Amino acid sequence: MPPTPARARLRSPPPTSHKPPNPDKGRADHARHNRATTAHARYIRSKNLRKEHTAASPPRTTKRARPRAHSHTHKGCHSWTHAVYLKVAMFSHVLCPRIDPLFKYSVDKYNFSRLPCFSTYTVSIRTMKKSHVHDPCARPPWTYATGRPFRSPRSRRPRPPVATPASTGRDVVDAEDGASVKRADLFDFRVGISRRARPNMTTIARASAVRAPAAAAALLSLLDEPRAELRAHALRRLRDVVDDEWSSVASSVSAIEALYEDETFEGREDAAMLASKVFYHLGELNDALHYALRAGEKFDVNEQSDFAQTLAATAIDQYVEKRQALTMEEALGDAKKDGIDEKLVVVVERMFEWCLSDGQYFQAIGIALESKRLDKFEEAVARSSSVSDCLSYSMKVCTSLVSVRGFRQHVLRLLAKMYASLSEPNFLSMCQCLMLLEDADGIAEVLSKLIAGEESEQLLAYQIAFALFENDIQPFLNRLNEVVTEKAMSADEQADGGSPISKLRSILSGERPLALYLEFLHSHNHADLLLLKKVKAAVETRNSVCHSATVLANALMHAGTTCDKFLRENLDWLARATNWARFSATAGVGVIHRGRTKDSRQLLSQLLPAPSPYTLGGALYAMGLIHTGQPGDALPFLLERARGNNNEVIQHGACLGLGLAAVGTGNAQVDDEMFRILRTDSAVAGEAAGIGLGLLYAGSCTPRAKEIHQYCGKTSHGKIVRGCSLGMALTVYGREEDGDDLIEAMIHDGDKIMRYGGCLAIASAYAGTGNNNALRKLLHMAVSDVSDDVRRSACMSLGFVLMSTPEQCPRVVALLAESYNPHVRYGAAMAVGVACAGTGMPEAIALLEPMMNDPVDFVQQGALIATAFVRIQQSEKQLEPFRKKVLGHIQDSHETTMCKMGAIMAQGILDAGGRNVTVGLRSKTGRPRMTSVLGMMVFTQYWFWYPLSYFLSLVFVPTAFIAVDGTLNMPHCSVTSHCKPSTFAYAAATTEDDKKDDGKVVKAVLSTTAKAKAKADKKKAEAEGTEGMEVDTAVKSEDKPAGEDAMDVETTEAKKEGGEDEKKIDLPEPSSEELTNPSRVTPAQEKYVRFDQGSRFVPIAVSASKCHTRSFIVLRDTDVGEEIAYVDAQFKPVEPPAAPAAADDDEPAPPEDFEFDPDAEDRGF
């Protein structure tokens, strides 16, 4: 017999007979060896417990008494829920460890059978709840024996794998206990094979109720035989019974391990497999996997058993963990040279092969992407039955779940190559991949090829250009437009207005899309002016905060509609704004006329030469809002005004305007001018210069950020530091790991303002990624920083990081929303508003509703604004209660100013853009929209500087069905909304009858005054020869109580309304509605809107059943010969609003130049 291996000597020898060993010998063995197996520990414990039960047992009778089961409850066990009565026959050392005196178990009767090694118990086990009411420190019953939760084979039963992409996500919530499955369980396959239910007492009892171990005992005795054939035979037979008798086999696990470690033994693989199953049942999954990998072909990963699927999941976990620890060069190199255990690689390879042969392509793609195996990813897509579906799924997983930016770019490059290699290349998806790679040359080559082809290819090029515009990556679009122009010039193509290349350039530059948006918003404006008048009447005339909030609400409600009627009708009221309030009110003109880039100078002509610096600075700010991302001729004009004025107010407006117009361009002239203004060390102008520099270099991760950081350490102005910290945060937008150096320097700075900007930098760099490291940093700062401003900023930044997975945000900030610190609660509310904007999620609304009644006024303000973000463009049936609550806050004269300000802003957000826009932080592909994210991030700084609240207009995106043909004009066509018209109808406009309180003060009239007036009227009537009867009647009517008159009027009106209702015929509401081009289509409505079969115009990109019916759609005409009728343009240029009246502190304009002639004066001229 070969010598015992070293590993076997480390374990205490198991008992070889059914008789318990000598206690003294057992203690000596335990002291002599370094460790004892878990089974041996259970054995020793069961021996002592059996003695206790034997001593307390009644005397043996000739006839076995029938066991009596009852529901006796031990004193103090009020939290135990139910009893499980069961009768089990088993080894005493299996059951006894679970019948611990520390537990409140009641053993009714127990009798020992005549068999020496068996015990028959009738046990009433009362399981405890998860929350131990009577003993909070009590451990679950199944943890006393081993120190870890007991897992039986039945408790490891997994869910069947689900082959749908909808269930993938970063965190999967366990349906039973709410625990979060980490990224190891990222994909459906691994969730399906690695999730295990919590064991309860029923499953433990079922696992323990095994049959008599006579066969196992006999087979275990063969392991000590000298003949190898007998030992091998015993191992093979034990493999068949180990699932039922693993507790008996566990006592001999050391001998089984010794057989495996014997290199001369031919049944080593059987020994390894048997040891793996024993450790699996003991809950030692790592040891179980260790021996399963060494079992060779004996371990079948395709076996449909809990054992095989659990170990396969454990193998994948270990493999993914080791692959992710590799460098990018090692991960993308040869997988055979990555240094990972070959046996583990073989198991994973067999798992891949099983997925592909079984048709589980999505699971194979998920495992390949997580383990960075591009070769397996390409193989899975190539072998799939539907390559297009696999590519779409891969695109979704890559953009939402792959957290490492470098690896994601390699995957996108491979996807673009696959899209191009299809039999019918998908140019739209390929250009989406190239856009994420910021490959302007690649997209320009595709567009140039399509634009030079047939008409259908040209239409496809237009659709691709519209899709790129909707993703709103402004620096990339500018660079792409330049490359397309260079290619057109090199090819000597004509660039007149009607050529295809000119149309393509008009889309890429944003000229044509903005014109279509402007036409839609102007023609479908449903802003309620009477509602605005209500708000205006409810605002106190001397409250400048609510006055400015009302001006902002008007600007948001008419954003992009070019409708300034409210301003024109209330010039006197508007003239009450002075200084910075006037600056903000003037900037609101730019929000209303946003997109009118061609006549912006004409619109602002009456404001630009204004004598007040606040009006002039606001006009420059307004010009930047009009030209956001579309510099045109506004950039030279703004540069000229910034250089020619040393007034800090004018420089403040010029810097904001320059940053908006040149966002993401990195223009050198703008950079020089802003740095010049920054170095003047003016607090007001320097703050705007810092923000403007951030907008100028947005997403570039420029080295200029380090110079700005160094300058912040030299200045003593907190406003400059705050503006520069926000600007540095904007420069790292979307750069992820590339911006970590700047982020680390900011969040570890001693200045709290710089740490505040560091939180915003994390939000900007990891916006929409859901990165775990970013979330960990923000959560740490949200609960540990000493500054309330930093904690508030950290909480808000969570919403930016999680905005691509809005369903996770309420769960992440749920505890922060209940913090004792009001700044943390405000930040949690804004985080939910940012992440869940436009979704109407019930979880988000449920979290925000209690905060709208918070005792702190600014928390109420944040909750109202965040709720407006979440509820925007929801059905009016759902919005009606919230509208009433907002209006109640506004009209309540006792409401605090901060809460009333939040309510007014919420009202403007709900009805933004004439009720035709939504908060568009994400594109239809799920990618963050650059301009919208930057605008929202600057808007949140209204906490410190109110004029920045007008940046919110950058967030709004029209929700419209806009269809164009090859001429880029809108033909007369329609789509069908297959739901009731009232479901997504506009809100009913406020009428005069609904205005119960117009805000006017009603004068009280005394009865004596009324009588005196009646007598005067009577004398006047008699003097004029009028009969007095009419006057008496009038007097009597005046003497009536006001309530009676009101009652008569209401009765008359009710009669009239009743008569009108009787005349009307109640018709059932239709089940569908026809939407003409253009029309409003909300995000929730889009799934019900489809093109009709047999329509003349059909989408060019995809089939009608799969086409998006929101935003821009390029149509193909099926009847080429017939004449096309186009939609008439309703937008007409309007006169800009008059400048506000001059304030008392403004100087009059100087007289015109003239020549003084003394002689003429002497002559009397």
Side-chain angles (χ1 to χ4, degrees):
M1 185 174 181
T4 305
R7 180 162 183 168
R9 291 197 300 270
L10 294 178
R11 301 182 182 271
S12 59
T16 58
S17 65
H18 59 268
K19 183 178 180 181
N22 188 355
D24 297 333
K25 185 177 183 300
R27 285 192 294 270
D29 292 340
H30 181 73
R32 193 164 46 248
H33 298 284
N34 293 331
R35 65 172 185 165
T37 61
T38 304
H40 190 208
R42 291 181 177 178
Y43 181 85
I44 296 299
R45 186 176 182 84
S46 65
K47 175 179 67 64
N48 297 329
L49 290 176
R50 181 181 176 185
K51 287 184 177 181
E52 297 175 5
H53 288 295
T54 305
S57 61
R60 182 69 62 91
T61 58
T62 57
K63 183 178 180 180
R64 180 178 301 176
R66 183 176 182 181
R68 177 170 55 90
H70 57 82
S71 57
H72 173 69
T73 304
H74 193 277
K75 182 179 179 181
C77 300
H78 53 276
S79 67
W80 294 22
T81 57
H82 60 279
V84 181
Y85 296 93
L86 46 97
K87 184 174 182 180
V88 293
M90 55 188 305
F91 275 113
S92 59
H93 69 271
V94 174
L95 184 59
C96 286
R98 291 164 179 76
I99 308 180
D100 196 296
L102 296 176
F103 293 118
K104 312 295 190 294
Y105 288 175
S106 61
V107 180
D108 296 339
K109 281 191 176 182
Y110 48 90
N111 295 319
F112 296 101
S113 64
R114 294 195 177 103
L115 297 177
C117 299
F118 288 82
S119 302
T120 302
Y121 297 97
T122 302
V123 186
S124 174
I125 304 175
R126 297 182 174 273
T127 57
M128 292 188 294
K129 292 181 179 179
K130 291 181 182 178
S131 58
H132 304 281
V133 180
H134 67 285
D135 187 6
C137 300
R139 296 171 58 185
W142 54 86
T143 61
Y144 275 83
T146 62
R148 64 179 66 86
F150 176 80
R151 293 184 174 92
S152 65
R154 293 182 181 270
S155 68
R156 295 184 178 88
R157 190 179 304 278
R159 293 188 311 174
V162 181
T164 57
S167 60
T168 58
R170 286 180 175 80
D171 288 328
V172 182
V173 179
D174 192 8
E176 180 176 349
D177 59 354
S180 178
V181 181
K182 302 302 179 184
R183 288 190 61 86
D185 292 332
L186 198 70
F187 301 98
D188 291 335
F189 171 76
R190 301 180 55 202
V191 170
I193 65 177
S194 63
R195 179 177 295 183
R196 296 181 295 275
R198 277 189 182 275
N200 51 36
M201 295 307 298
T202 304
T203 58
I204 292 175
R206 289 176 179 174
S208 303
V210 296
R211 64 179 182 267
L219 293 173
L220 289 173
S221 63
L222 294 178
L223 297 180
D224 297 331
E225 293 293 329
R227 296 179 56 184
E229 294 84 355
L230 293 177
R231 285 179 287 168
H233 173 73
L235 292 174
R236 288 192 296 269
R237 292 295 304 275
L238 284 172
R239 283 177 50 193
D240 299 334
V241 300
V242 67
D243 291 334
D244 294 332
E245 302 180 9
W246 60 269
S247 55
S248 301
V249 181
S251 60
S252 302
V253 69
S254 57
I256 299 172
E257 289 181 291
L259 291 176
Y260 165 73
E261 293 176 0
D262 185 3
E263 297 182 357
T264 61
F265 182 56
E266 296 181 356
R268 294 184 63 205
E269 293 184 353
D270 293 322
M273 192 63 186
L274 181 60
S276 176
K277 287 193 173 184
V278 172
F279 281 116
Y280 162 75
H281 288 291
L282 290 174
E284 301 288 346
L285 296 183
N286 290 332
D287 289 341
L289 179 62
H290 172 78
Y291 284 105
L293 295 178
R294 282 145 185 80
E297 297 296 334
K298 304 292 184 180
F299 176 51
D300 185 10
V301 295
N302 303 333
E303 181 183 347
Q304 297 298 321
S305 64
D306 296 344
F307 166 75
Q309 294 186 3
T310 303
L311 291 193
T314 307
I316 294 173
D317 288 343
Q318 290 189 6
Y319 183 72
V320 168
E321 182 180 357
K322 294 180 180 180
R323 288 284 300 178
Q324 289 182 348
L326 301 175
T327 62
M328 189 59 62
E329 292 76 10
E330 294 174 344
L332 298 177
D334 190 0
K336 298 180 180 178
K337 300 179 181 179
D338 55 7
I340 301 177
D341 186 2
E342 294 183 0
K343 297 181 176 61
L344 181 62
V345 175
V346 169
V347 172
V348 176
E349 295 276 356
R350 282 191 286 172
M351 201 71 245
F352 273 120
E353 187 61 31
W354 176 82
C355 290
L356 296 178
S357 60
D358 197 47
Q360 306 294 337
Y361 303 110
F362 288 175
Q363 286 82 350
I365 289 172
I367 300 173
L369 289 178
E370 196 178 6
S371 60
K372 298 182 180 180
R373 290 289 302 271
L374 291 182
D375 54 339
K376 291 297 179 182
F377 166 68
E378 192 171 2
E379 180 184 355
V381 174
R383 292 177 55 179
S384 64
S385 56
S386 178
V387 177
S388 59
D389 291 343
C390 285
L391 288 176
S392 300
Y393 176 77
S394 303
M395 183 73 176
K396 179 181 178 181
V397 171
C398 177
T399 56
S400 59
L401 298 180
V402 179
S403 59
V404 182
R405 186 169 182 263
F407 179 69
R408 182 168 63 247
Q409 289 182 341
H410 284 87
V411 177
L412 290 172
R413 183 72 63 182
L414 182 58
L415 284 173
K417 187 186 301 182
M418 291 181 178
Y419 276 121
S421 62
L422 295 176
S423 57
E424 295 182 0
N426 190 338
F427 292 109
L428 184 61
S429 300
M430 182 175 67
C431 289
Q432 290 285 341
C433 295
L434 295 176
M435 178 199 66
L436 297 177
L437 291 169
E438 299 181 359
D439 188 358
D441 294 331
I443 296 181
E445 184 178 355
V446 174
L447 293 178
S448 300
K449 178 181 177 181
L450 292 175
I451 210 69
E454 301 177 353
E455 181 182 2
S456 60
E457 294 178 342
Q458 294 176 2
L459 296 177
L460 182 58
Y462 300 153
Q463 185 66 70
I464 293 173
F466 276 120
L468 295 175
F469 173 80
E470 291 168 3
N471 282 275
D472 195 18
I473 308 177
Q474 200 58 48
F476 175 75
L477 290 175
N478 296 335
R479 189 164 61 254
L480 177 61
N481 194 18
E482 295 175 359
V483 176
V484 170
T485 304
E486 293 176 359
K487 287 184 175 294
M489 294 177 62
S490 61
D492 295 333
E493 295 185 13
Q494 296 180 358
D496 56 343
S499 64
I501 191 65
S502 299
K503 297 176 183 176
L504 181 65
R505 290 179 55 193
S506 68
I507 299 174
L508 294 175
S509 63
E511 177 184 351
R512 188 55 187 163
L514 290 177
L516 293 172
Y517 276 154
L518 200 62
E519 173 65 26
F520 166 73
L521 293 175
H522 176 77
S523 60
H524 290 71
N525 180 21
H526 283 74
D528 196 343
L529 291 177
L530 288 178
L531 184 60
L532 265 177
K533 291 181 180 178
K534 263 189 177 182
V535 176
K536 169 181 167 291
V539 172
E540 297 180 7
T541 56
R542 291 176 295 179
N543 193 329
S544 61
V545 175
C546 294
H547 182 279
S548 299
T550 306
V551 176
L552 172 64
N554 168 67
L556 297 179
M557 292 173 69
H558 294 92
T561 62
T562 71
C563 177
D564 52 5
K565 183 178 179 181
F566 180 80
L567 297 179
R568 292 177 178 277
E569 293 178 352
N570 299 276
L571 289 177
D572 295 337
W573 175 80
L574 191 64
R576 298 173 185 171
T578 59
N579 298 335
W580 287 107
R582 172 168 296 187
F583 177 92
S584 301
T586 309
V589 178
V591 175
I592 296 174
H593 296 281
R594 183 169 180 246
R596 296 186 61 179
T597 57
K598 293 184 178 180
D599 54 352
S600 59
R601 295 278 294 274
Q602 180 183 356
L603 286 171
L604 303 174
S605 58
Q606 299 181 13
L607 301 175
L608 291 174
S612 172
Y614 297 98
T615 304
L616 181 56
L620 298 177
Y621 183 17
M623 180 169 285
L625 290 170
I626 294 175
H627 287 267
T628 301
Q630 309 291 325
D633 58 350
L635 205 58
F637 177 78
L638 292 171
L639 278 172
E640 180 184 354
R641 289 305 180 104
R643 291 168 180 167
N645 290 278
N646 292 325
N647 187 292
E648 62 179 5
V649 178
I650 299 176
Q651 289 180 341
H652 184 90
C655 288
L656 292 178
L658 284 171
L660 287 167
V663 57
T665 60
N667 188 288
Q669 296 181 357
V670 178
D671 172 76
D672 295 339
E673 183 59 26
M674 285 192 180
F675 257 100
R676 183 190 69 80
I677 296 175
L678 180 63
R679 293 191 180 99
T680 59
D681 207 36
S682 170
V684 175
E687 181 183 22
I691 298 174
L693 285 169
L695 293 171
L696 179 67
Y697 289 109
S700 63
C701 204
T702 176
R704 277 286 203 180
K706 295 183 179 179
E707 299 180 23
I708 300 175
H709 193 193
Q710 293 174 359
Y711 177 78
C712 290
K714 300 177 182 179
T715 183
S716 59
H717 295 290
K719 288 178 68 67
I720 295 179
V721 176
R722 183 175 293 110
C724 290
S725 64
L726 175 59
M728 287 187 288
L730 301 181
T731 60
V732 295
Y733 169 79
R735 306 307 297 181
E736 301 183 31
E737 295 87 356
D738 295 342
D740 283 347
D741 294 340
L742 181 62
I743 291 173
E744 291 296 326
M746 294 178 70
I747 63 177
H748 292 101
D749 198 285
D751 190 354
K752 66 178 183 180
I753 302 179
M754 194 59 64
R755 296 198 306 275
Y756 176 93
C759 296
L760 296 177
I762 296 175
S764 177
Y766 294 95
T769 62
N771 188 277
N772 289 333
N773 292 329
L775 294 174
R776 190 179 298 110
K777 292 178 183 177
L778 291 175
L779 289 172
H780 174 71
M781 299 184 72
V783 298
S784 64
D785 201 277
V786 296
S787 172
D788 288 337
D789 290 339
V790 178
R791 298 180 68 178
R792 184 181 67 253
S793 175
C795 292
M796 284 192 302
S797 300
L798 292 170
F800 288 95
V801 178
L802 293 172
M803 66 183 181
S804 291
T805 54
E807 63 278 357
Q808 294 185 8
C809 187
R811 179 170 55 84
V812 172
V813 303
L815 293 178
L816 298 176
E818 300 176 359
S819 172
Y820 71 93
N821 192 323
H823 293 267
V824 175
R825 297 199 301 272
Y826 173 89
M830 292 299 293
V832 174
V834 171
C836 305
T839 61
M841 289 179 55
E843 297 83 0
I845 296 173
L847 188 142
L848 292 172
E849 279 184 351
M851 304 177 73
M852 287 190 285
N853 301 319
D854 197 276
V856 182
D857 52 359
F858 65 80
V859 178
Q860 289 183 343
Q861 180 190 92
L864 288 168
I865 296 173
T867 307
F869 283 152
V870 176
R871 286 185 175 272
I872 187 172
Q873 287 227 332
Q874 301 300 308
S875 64
E876 286 303 317
K877 184 177 180 181
Q878 300 174 352
L879 274 178
E880 186 178 0
F882 181 65
R883 285 187 183 274
K884 290 181 179 179
K885 185 176 183 65
V886 168
L887 195 58
H889 283 295
I890 296 173
Q891 294 180 336
D892 187 0
S893 59
H894 301 288
E895 190 60 84
T896 60
T897 301
M898 297 297 291
C899 182
K900 185 174 290 189
M901 172 187 171
I904 296 172
M905 295 174 68
Q907 185 66 61
I909 294 170
L910 285 178
D911 297 338
R915 296 174 177 169
N916 290 303
V917 299
T918 187
V919 178
L921 293 175
R922 300 175 297 274
S923 63
K924 291 191 298 183
T925 58
R927 178 178 173 81
R929 302 179 73 252
M930 177 178 177
T931 306
S932 298
V933 174
L934 298 181
M936 179 64 79
M937 196 166 293
V938 180
F939 162 74
T940 57
Q941 308 311 304
Y942 81 91
W943 178 281
F944 300 105
W945 191 234
Y946 182 75
L948 297 179
S949 58
Y950 288 88
F951 271 79
L952 184 60
S953 61
L954 308 183
V955 178
F956 297 139
V957 177
T959 54
F961 160 69
I962 302 176
V964 297
D965 62 355
T967 63
L968 300 186
N969 294 318
M970 295 183 290
H972 278 290
C973 62
S974 63
V975 291
T976 302
S977 175
H978 295 272
C979 59
K980 294 182 178 181
S982 62
T983 306
F984 300 102
Y986 287 101
T990 305
T991 60
E992 294 289 346
D993 296 336
D994 296 333
K995 277 181 56 178
K996 297 181 181 179
D997 184 13
D998 56 358
K1000 296 181 180 179
V1001 179
V1002 180
K1003 296 181 179 179
V1005 179
L1006 299 176
S1007 59
T1008 55
T1009 305
K1011 291 180 179 179
K1013 184 179 179 181
K1015 290 181 179 179
D1017 292 341
K1018 183 177 181 181
K1019 291 180 180 179
K1020 184 178 179 180
E1022 290 177 352
E1024 296 177 357
T1026 309
E1027 297 181 359
M1029 184 64 67
E1030 297 179 0
V1031 178
D1032 294 340
T1033 306
V1035 173
K1036 291 180 180 179
S1037 64
E1038 290 177 2
D1039 292 340
K1040 280 186 178 182
E1044 294 181 8
D1045 292 340
M1047 184 67 69
D1048 294 340
V1049 173
E1050 291 176 1
T1051 305
T1052 305
E1053 292 178 356
K1055 290 180 180 179
K1056 291 181 180 179
E1057 292 178 359
E1060 292 177 359
D1061 292 341
E1062 291 176 0
K1063 295 179 181 179
K1064 293 182 180 179
I1065 301 175
D1066 293 335
L1067 297 176
E1069 186 178 7
S1071 59
S1072 62
E1073 179 186 10
E1074 183 180 3
L1075 304 177
T1076 59
N1077 184 26
S1079 292
R1080 184 183 81 153
V1081 177
T1082 64
Q1085 185 183 7
E1086 184 180 6
K1087 59 184 177 181
Y1088 301 105
V1089 180
R1090 293 188 296 272
F1091 280 87
D1092 295 331
Q1093 296 293 333
S1095 300
R1096 176 182 176 182
F1097 295 97
V1098 296
I1100 187 61
V1102 288
S1103 62
S1105 60
K1106 297 182 180 180
C1107 177
H1108 294 285
T1109 51
R1110 188 163 58 90
S1111 194
F1112 300 104
I1113 300 173
V1114 180
L1115 302 177
R1116 177 175 57 87
D1117 187 5
T1118 57
D1119 298 335
V1120 182
E1122 295 187 10
E1123 184 180 357
I1124 302 176
Y1126 292 100
V1127 177
D1128 296 331
Q1130 299 182 15
F1131 168 70
K1132 295 180 181 179
V1134 294
E1135 294 295 332
D1144 296 337
D1145 57 346
D1146 293 338
E1147 297 182 359
E1152 298 180 358
D1153 296 339
F1154 63 93
E1155 295 181 1
F1156 176 71
D1157 188 357
D1159 298 335
E1161 186 177 4
D1162 293 340
R1163 293 195 298 270
F1165 293 99

